[in-house]
């Protein structure tokens, strides 16, 4: 062996110096092949109000051979590092720390660090929350997808799972929740205590977490085996009254999922922690799910449907404990594996636990639309998304993963049959316990249990972007069907053809039951013999039960019949899909928006299904606010105001009264309508049996401000006095963003980009008020600056912020001039390709608005 190693070492160093920021896939692959048996022993000292936290870490791992190793650590500083006992300088470069080969050996290695990482109210993975109600402080982590390396040095990739031991020193009256139970706590001087946690099972860095502060546990004396529920001290009483259902559904979900997956709950305990201002609905840390507090303790009077939505959130995060935490995607290009399944399984579990709730109708109304909306745009992506570097993994989050992937799985369950579907999942989990896997592993598991080849199916649905439009064509002779075919074409004009399996409905009048048949095809068109000779139907709908994924418009004859018959369709699931199909016809500029609005005006007062009412009213409002001109709006709005007021007061179901109250707040425009809102705030007008909550009231205040009501300022000041809580401060900030004056917009926009102390949820939740639908002239000057800020936002903000930002600023506009401005921006040659896709997704609605207005000028 030569001793003159320095030139080689230099080459190795140079090679690493060239490693860009983030975690490139090549680096991840190389590390996964070389490194194993990872153990992290991490200690943090949390000091109230400090901008940093001090940490100590002992990291041990096994190396295949002695060679340089790169660790990930960015944003913090390392005071001391020893590698196998040898102290050495540690200066992170491009977010990496290099351990040189001559200090490492084949076999076990130990690296010890003292370091300091940042903690802040926003923009950092260790977040500090100040409870303005009682002055207490909370600190929590959120590392997904690769921000653990901003908190401590680690191998920040999902397929290097480690066992973690955590110790936290914090004020002694704080409660600390982490992935495992605390095994002990001891005084650490000066009012501090040191809490020690048991070692975790092997988990990915993004699933490691803690939350600390004066949290309190919600107790249910006498009820056994419930998952723990923690909430900040000031909300504890409310949680005791309102949130115990959350524990109940989690407990039932655990029993259902353990049996369905044929795998017991994979971690030693399960807690849920309610985090105020949490940027997502929830995050599935192994054994310690964090839930957005506002998604559990409702700030508006909740309806039955809101409560079911909360059940689904709980079941989604719970499913992840198996799908994501126990078996983890190898890389974030397979993000859909965990998110698609968590969404789909949450519905399936809730359907099993609450079988009378018509859960698949809900799936159609609340999951599918978001997917179709994106998948019909030039910015859409395949479900499988290539991610060369984890720093871009945030971009993979969105409707394709959360809505299309579960929609695709629903179709797959239909193709495979329920038993094969379940057995495939069982096999997949069993073969990758506490490990990592890829989508091809799952597809192979389905193929093995079903005996069906799925390669073309998976290739088209997972690897290709976009979706088919499916059109039925049929004719009758002598009262019988004599021809029936289905045709598909690529919505984006790309010439793709998909394998499609669907259920076709031939519908008759109310007294004759409909006929159904299964149709599978993967060609541009196909004729079907099953319906030939059947009585001539009133209309045909080619995606009954919503098994298939695609745009299913009604043929002209069926559409006319449906518009006439819709009020008589008893089956609420079918009624929902027919409304949905009509709305699609509006969005492709085939059906006049006025026609849809007047149908909504005529039929909605009788609609008894809460979720269908919610969705159709939202569509009618979009059409009113965007697709028709102000004179058409003036014609409809007074009728909608009166109808909403009447139904809010006189609907027999409380949920419907709540919903009509919300519709009233959204549709009001006229002086008379604004009078209703003021009366509701004054208590002169009451929604029978409903106590308005904080946010219900603030939403009315926001509408009055946005509509420039002469009394808006007085109403705003009165509400500020009435609600001095921490939440109230945020809602006041949101409401004031709607003020229709140039000065306000300027101040807020500066705040959004340049005030690091402004909590991210305040900004995110105020974007729609800033861009209120009636203020495109005032907000137009901010369209371009909002686009120019995207790179900064992508860098600094949490996962969903960027899409919310883009949607709000682009949807604030309705004109061809604004549309041209966005398309100009898209032509910039050096635009980040990922941002280009996001902009193309967002501008689609503006493109449609302009096209609909041109097609139907009224
Ligand atoms: Zn999820």
């Amino acid at each position: 062996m030569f001793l003159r190693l320095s030139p080689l070492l230099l080459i190795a160093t140079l090679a690493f110096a060239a490693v860009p920021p983030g975690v490139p896939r090549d680096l991840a692959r190389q590390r996964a092949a070389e490194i194993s048996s990872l153990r992290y022993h991490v200690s943090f000292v949390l000091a109230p109000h400090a901008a940093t936290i001090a940490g100590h870490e002992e990291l041990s791992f096994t190396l295949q051979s002695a060679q340089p190793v790169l660790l990930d650590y960015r944003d913090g500083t390392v005071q001391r590092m020893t590698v196998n006992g040898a102290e050495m300088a540690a200066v992170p470069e491009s977010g990496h720390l290099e351990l040189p080969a001559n200090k490492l050996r084949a076999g076990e290695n130990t690296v010890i660090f003292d370091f300091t990482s940042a903690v802040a109210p926003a923009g950092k993975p260790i977040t500090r929350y100040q409870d303005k109600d009682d002055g207490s402080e909370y600190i929590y982590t959120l590392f997904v997808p690769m921000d653990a390396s901003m908190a401590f040095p680690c191998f920040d990739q999902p397929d290097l799972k480690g066992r973690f031991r955590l110790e936290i020193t914090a004020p002694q009256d704080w409660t600390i929740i982490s992935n495992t139970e605390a095994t002990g706590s001891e005084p650490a001087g000066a009012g501090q205590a040191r809490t020690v946690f048991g070692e975790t099972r092997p988990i990915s860095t993004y699933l490691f977490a803690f939350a600390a502060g004066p949290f309190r546990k919600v107790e249910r004396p006498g009820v056994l085996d419930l998952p723990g529920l923690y909430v900040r001290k000031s909300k504890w009483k409310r949680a005791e009254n309102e949130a115990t259902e959350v524990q109940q559904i989690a407990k039932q979900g655990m029993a259902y999922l353990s049996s369905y997956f044929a795998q017991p709950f994979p971690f030693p305990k399960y807690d849920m922690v309610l985090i105020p201002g949490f940027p997502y609905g929830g995050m599935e840390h192994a054994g310690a799910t964090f839930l957005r507090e506002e998604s559990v303790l409702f700030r508006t009077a909740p309806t039955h449907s809101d409560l079911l939505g909360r059940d689904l959130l709980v079941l989604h995060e719970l499913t992840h404990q198996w799908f994501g935490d126990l078996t983890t995607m190898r890389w974030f290009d397979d993000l859909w594996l965990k998110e698609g399944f968590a969404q789909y399984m949450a519905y399936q579990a809730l359907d099993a636990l609450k079988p009378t709730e018509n859960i698949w109708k809900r799936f159609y109304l609340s999951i599918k639309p978001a997917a179709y909306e994106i998948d019909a745009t030039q910015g859409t992506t395949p479900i499988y998304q290539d991610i060369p570097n984890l720093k871009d993994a945030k971009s993979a989050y969105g409707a394709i993963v959360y809505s299309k992937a579960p929609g695709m799985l629903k179709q797959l369950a239909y193709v495979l049959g329920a038993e094969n579907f379940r057995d495939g999942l069982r096999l997949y989990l069993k073969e990758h316990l506490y490990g990592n896997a890829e989508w091809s592993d799952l597809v192979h598991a389905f193929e093995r249990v079903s005996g069906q080849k799925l390669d073309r199916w998976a290739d088209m649905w997972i690897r290709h972007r976009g979706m088919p439009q499916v059109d039925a064509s049929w004719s009758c002779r002598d009262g019988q069907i004599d021809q029936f075919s289905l045709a598909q074409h690529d919505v984006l004009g790309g010439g793709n053809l998909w394998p499609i399996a669907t259920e076709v409905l031939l519908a008759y009048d109310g007294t004759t039951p409909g006929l159904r048949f299964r149709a599978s095809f993967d060609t541009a068109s196909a004729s079907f013999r099953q319906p030939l000779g059947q009585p001539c139907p009133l209309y045909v709908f080619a995606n009954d039960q919503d098994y298939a994924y695609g745009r299913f418009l009604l043929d002209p004859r069926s559409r006319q019949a449906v518009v006439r018959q819709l009020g008589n369709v008893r089956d609420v699931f079918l009624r929902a899909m027919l409304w949905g199909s009509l709305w699609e016809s509006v969005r492709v500029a085939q059906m006049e928006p006025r026609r849809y609005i007047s149908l909504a005006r005529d039929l909605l007062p009788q609609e008894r299904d809460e979720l269908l009412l919610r969705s159709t009213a939202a569509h009618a409002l979009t059409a009113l606010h965007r697709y028709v001109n102000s004179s058409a709006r003036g014609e409809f709005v007074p009728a909608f105001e009166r109808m909403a007021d009447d139904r809010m007061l006189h609907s027999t179901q409380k949920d419907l009264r709540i919903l009509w109250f919300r519709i009233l707040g959204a549709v009001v425009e006229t002086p008379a309508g604004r009078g209703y809102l003021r009366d509701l705030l004054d208590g002169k007008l009451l929604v029978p049996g409903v106590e308005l909550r904080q946010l219900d009231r603030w939403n009315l205040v926001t509408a009055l401000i946005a509509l420039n009501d002469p009394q808006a300022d007085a109403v705003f000041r009165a509400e500020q006095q009435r609600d001095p809580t921490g939440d109230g401060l945020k809602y006041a900030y949101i409401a004031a963003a709607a003020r229709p004056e140039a000065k306000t917009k300027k101040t807020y926009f500066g705040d959004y980009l340049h005030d690091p102390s402004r909590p991210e949820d305040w900004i995110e939740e105020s974007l729609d008020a800033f861009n209120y639908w009636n203020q495109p002239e005032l907000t137009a000057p901010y369209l371009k600056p909002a686009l120019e800020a995207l790179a900064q936002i992508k860098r600094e903000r949490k996962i969903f912020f960027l899409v919310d930002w883009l949607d709000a600023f682009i949807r604030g506009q309705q004109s061809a001039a604004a549309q041209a401005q966005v398309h100009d921006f898209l032509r910039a040659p050096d635009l980040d390709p990922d941002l280009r896709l996001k902009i193309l997704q967002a501008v689609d609605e503006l493109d449609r608005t302009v096209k609909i207005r041109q097609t139907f000028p009224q």
Side-chain angles (χ1 to χ4, degrees):
M1 191 192 262
F2 280 89
L3 279 175
R4 284 181 63 240
L5 280 175
S6 48
L8 278 173
L9 269 180
L10 188 64
I11 290 165
T13 312
L14 282 174
F16 273 145
V19 170
V23 181
R25 189 165 35 200
D26 291 347
L27 172 66
R29 280 190 183 141
Q30 184 205 339
R31 292 198 302 206
E34 290 291 332
I35 296 166
S36 58
S37 306
L38 264 168
R39 282 192 148 80
Y40 294 92
H41 187 174
V42 191
S43 314
F44 289 112
V45 179
L46 309 184
H49 314 303
T52 56
I53 64 177
H56 176 80
E57 174 181 347
E58 286 180 44
L59 165 64
S60 67
F61 57 92
T62 299
L63 263 187
Q64 290 276 61
S65 57
Q67 56 177 299
V69 163
L70 275 199
L71 275 158
D72 307 317
Y73 187 55
R74 62 192 203 280
D75 202 41
T77 49
V78 178
Q79 282 82 45
R80 188 165 159 266
M81 174 169 91
T82 61
V83 183
N84 290 324
E87 187 155 341
M88 50 183 303
V91 183
E93 256 185 62
S94 301
H96 304 290
L97 277 172
E98 186 182 337
L99 312 179
N102 62 356
K103 297 284 187 297
L104 296 168
R105 53 189 171 232
E108 192 172 331
N109 294 272
T110 303
V111 190
I112 298 176
F113 305 93
D114 289 314
F115 59 93
T116 309
S117 297
V119 52
K124 302 289 175 194
I126 306 177
T127 302
R128 172 194 312 290
Y129 177 83
Q130 200 72 44
D131 187 332
K132 299 218 165 56
D133 293 335
D134 64 4
S136 35
E137 177 170 326
Y138 296 83
I139 291 177
Y140 68 91
T141 62
L142 184 56
F143 295 155
V144 69
M146 53 151 283
D147 289 347
S149 48
M150 288 171 82
F152 60 97
C154 59
F155 298 107
D156 211 355
Q157 63 188 69
D159 60 345
L160 274 177
K161 293 192 172 187
R163 294 174 187 271
F164 290 80
R165 273 195 298 153
L166 173 68
E167 289 180 25
I168 287 192
T169 304
Q172 63 191 6
D173 58 341
W174 283 18
T175 301
I176 326 281
I177 305 107
S178 185
N179 304 89
T180 55
E181 296 283 10
T183 54
S185 178
E186 59 187 30
Q192 304 279 299
R194 195 169 62 97
T195 307
V196 179
F197 292 86
E199 188 175 73
T200 67
R201 306 265 165 87
I203 56 173
S204 305
T205 43
Y206 81 93
L207 294 168
F208 171 59
F210 66 82
F215 284 104
R216 288 190 68 177
K217 192 171 186 177
V218 176
E219 301 290 351
R220 301 277 306 278
V223 187
L224 297 175
D225 299 332
L226 282 179
L229 179 65
Y230 291 86
V231 62
R232 60 183 157 132
K233 174 171 85 166
S234 62
K235 298 285 180 200
W236 180 69
K237 261 275 154 275
R238 260 192 82 176
E240 290 253 289
N241 293 328
E242 295 176 30
T244 48
E245 275 274 314
V246 164
Q247 289 168 287
Q248 201 58 40
I249 200 79
K251 179 182 170 177
Q252 292 170 351
M254 267 183 183
Y256 173 80
L257 292 170
S258 307
S259 142
Y260 183 82
F261 290 137
Q263 280 295 335
F265 185 78
F267 300 102
K269 60 98 183 169
Y270 191 59
D271 290 321
M272 291 171 286
V273 188
L274 306 188
I275 308 274
F278 198 59
Y280 323 140
M283 179 60 209
E284 70 274 17
H285 306 117
T289 281
F290 292 176
L291 297 172
R292 182 180 170 83
E293 185 189 281
E294 294 90 326
S295 304
V296 174
L297 304 177
F298 297 106
R299 306 305 203 251
T300 57
T303 64
H304 182 67
S305 173
D306 294 333
L307 298 173
L308 288 179
R310 185 172 74 175
D311 290 345
L312 287 165
L313 168 64
V314 169
L315 292 169
H316 174 113
E317 305 306 341
L318 185 63
T319 301
H320 275 314
Q321 300 293 317
W322 288 265
F323 244 95
D325 297 4
L326 171 64
T327 301
T328 310
M329 72 228 149
R330 186 168 299 292
W331 191 245
F332 274 81
D333 47 12
D334 271 331
L335 178 68
W336 73 274
L337 261 186
K338 75 182 184 79
E339 295 308 337
F341 267 95
Q343 286 289 67
Y344 180 79
M345 287 306 303
Y347 278 81
Q348 183 174 305
L350 194 59
D351 188 40
L353 299 175
K354 298 188 171 174
T356 59
E357 294 287 358
N358 212 339
I359 292 302
W360 296 110
K361 175 210 67 185
R362 186 186 178 99
F363 187 87
Y364 169 78
L365 284 171
S366 41
I367 295 289
K368 288 286 193 77
Y372 293 152
E373 217 175 284
I374 299 290
D375 232 2
T377 75
Q378 291 295 343
T380 194
T381 63
I383 286 178
Y384 173 91
Q385 297 180 55
D386 192 38
I387 296 173
N389 188 319
L390 274 193
K391 75 180 166 51
D392 297 322
K394 284 182 190 174
S395 314
Y397 286 79
I400 292 304
V401 156
Y402 282 88
S403 298
K404 181 177 183 178
M408 178 275 289
L409 290 170
K410 187 179 177 197
Q411 184 169 227
L412 180 61
Y414 179 63
V415 169
L416 291 173
E419 272 186 29
N420 284 332
F421 187 75
R422 181 200 63 198
D423 293 347
L425 294 181
R426 286 180 174 180
L427 182 62
Y428 166 82
L429 286 177
K430 196 170 132 202
E431 290 185 341
H432 304 283
L433 297 177
Y434 301 101
N436 296 82
E438 297 172 9
W439 68 283
S440 54
D441 298 313
L442 181 64
V443 171
H444 292 152
F446 283 135
E447 287 184 329
R448 277 149 67 200
V449 298
S450 70
Q452 294 187 44
K453 285 295 284 174
L454 291 172
D455 44 352
R456 172 158 153 72
W457 195 92
D459 181 52
M460 283 315 296
W461 286 109
I462 299 172
R463 283 274 188 186
H464 283 75
R465 70 175 202 158
M467 64 176 177
Q469 175 171 321
V470 180
D471 294 304
S473 124
W474 52 285
S475 59
C476 295
R477 187 192 291 178
D478 303 332
Q480 294 184 337
I481 299 179
D482 69 340
Q483 179 271 327
F484 193 101
S485 62
L486 293 176
Q488 63 162 312
H489 73 267
D490 184 338
V491 164
L492 297 176
N496 285 318
L497 294 173
W498 284 263
I500 293 169
T502 189
E503 191 107 334
V504 179
L505 168 72
L506 312 175
Y508 300 91
D509 61 25
T511 55
T512 316
L515 296 173
R516 292 171 171 83
F517 67 94
R518 186 183 176 120
S520 300
F521 68 114
D522 57 7
T523 46
S525 71
S527 297
F528 295 91
R529 300 190 58 78
Q530 299 98 311
L532 303 188
Q534 299 292 352
C536 193
L538 219 50
Y539 62 90
V540 166
F541 181 60
N543 190 17
D544 194 40
Q545 304 298 312
D546 188 36
Y547 291 123
Y549 181 91
R551 180 191 284 157
F552 288 80
L553 300 181
L554 295 158
D555 61 89
R557 178 171 167 180
S558 295
R559 195 165 87 212
Q560 280 186 6
V562 164
V563 168
R564 280 196 310 274
Q565 288 287 318
L566 196 49
N568 303 323
V569 175
R570 294 252 179 80
D571 178 339
V572 60
F573 192 0
L574 177 60
R575 197 162 71 242
M577 291 186 293
L578 295 174
W579 268 115
S581 190
L582 293 180
W583 178 242
E584 279 297 314
S585 305
V586 173
R587 294 190 80 245
V588 298
Q590 274 184 11
M591 182 175 172
E592 214 181 337
R594 289 178 66 99
R595 188 82 194 87
Y596 187 95
I597 296 169
S598 60
L599 200 60
R601 178 197 58 201
D602 296 344
L603 297 182
L604 288 191
Q606 292 92 51
E607 183 53 63
R608 296 279 174 273
D609 186 76
E610 186 202 327
L611 209 56
L612 176 52
L613 171 59
R614 187 190 294 218
S615 128
T616 311
H619 293 156
L621 282 165
T622 299
L624 273 174
H625 291 161
R626 302 184 59 82
Y627 299 165
V628 298
N629 60 24
S630 58
S631 86
R633 204 170 65 242
E635 194 185 313
F636 284 108
V637 162
F640 271 86
E641 288 176 348
R642 285 193 301 275
M643 174 167 101
D645 175 55
D646 176 70
R647 295 290 78 208
M648 173 183 83
L649 298 176
H650 303 120
S651 290
T652 47
Q653 287 167 254
K654 181 179 168 190
D655 296 323
L656 296 183
R657 294 196 295 275
I658 295 175
L659 210 52
W660 280 110
F661 159 79
R662 295 181 192 167
I663 296 169
L664 180 70
V667 78
V668 149
E669 248 185 282
T670 68
R674 285 186 264 119
Y676 293 138
L677 305 195
R678 289 195 306 270
D679 287 351
L680 280 160
L681 286 166
D682 285 349
K684 289 185 201 135
L685 186 60
L686 298 170
V687 188
V690 178
E691 200 180 325
L692 297 188
R693 295 194 181 183
Q694 230 179 339
L695 184 53
D696 288 316
R697 297 181 57 87
W698 277 109
N699 285 339
L700 301 182
V701 174
T702 306
L704 289 169
I705 289 176
L707 296 166
N708 212 12
D709 186 79
Q711 293 180 49
D713 280 337
V715 166
F716 177 73
R717 282 193 301 273
E719 200 60 26
Q720 276 184 308
Q721 292 205 329
R722 192 178 191 280
D723 182 7
T725 64
D727 281 346
L729 294 174
K730 172 166 93 175
Y731 299 142
Y733 178 82
I734 295 169
R739 200 164 273 143
E741 56 178 31
K743 192 175 74 193
T744 298
K745 305 299 177 192
K746 186 160 186 259
T747 311
Y748 270 77
F749 197 80
D751 209 26
Y752 291 165
L753 293 181
H754 306 299
D755 182 357
S757 71
R758 183 69 65 197
E760 193 163 307
D761 60 317
W762 288 38
I763 297 178
E764 199 164 5
E765 290 172 40
S766 71
L767 294 173
D768 285 340
F770 181 99
N771 290 287
Y772 214 81
W773 66 267
N774 67 341
Q775 301 173 14
E777 290 84 10
L778 276 173
T779 51
Y782 297 96
L783 180 60
K784 191 150 176 265
L787 294 170
E788 286 164 350
L790 288 172
Q792 174 191 346
I793 282 166
K794 180 175 169 180
R795 219 169 37 241
E796 292 174 1
R797 299 295 180 184
K798 295 274 191 312
I799 286 169
F800 299 107
F801 187 97
L802 185 130
V803 169
D804 289 347
W805 172 273
L806 257 176
D807 278 347
F809 280 97
I810 294 183
R811 284 182 190 206
Q813 304 306 313
Q814 306 180 349
S815 68
Q819 181 193 24
Q821 214 176 25
V822 180
H823 286 280
D824 267 355
F825 188 83
L826 280 166
R827 277 189 281 275
D830 54 345
L831 183 61
D832 173 350
D834 162 52
L835 290 178
R836 178 187 303 279
L837 290 177
K838 292 280 189 287
I839 298 169
L840 282 168
Q841 291 174 11
V843 78
D844 182 78
E845 173 60 30
L846 181 54
D847 292 342
R848 282 176 199 280
T849 303
V850 171
K851 182 168 179 203
I852 292 167
R853 282 170 164 249
Q854 281 165 358
T855 312
F856 303 106
Q858 293 120 19

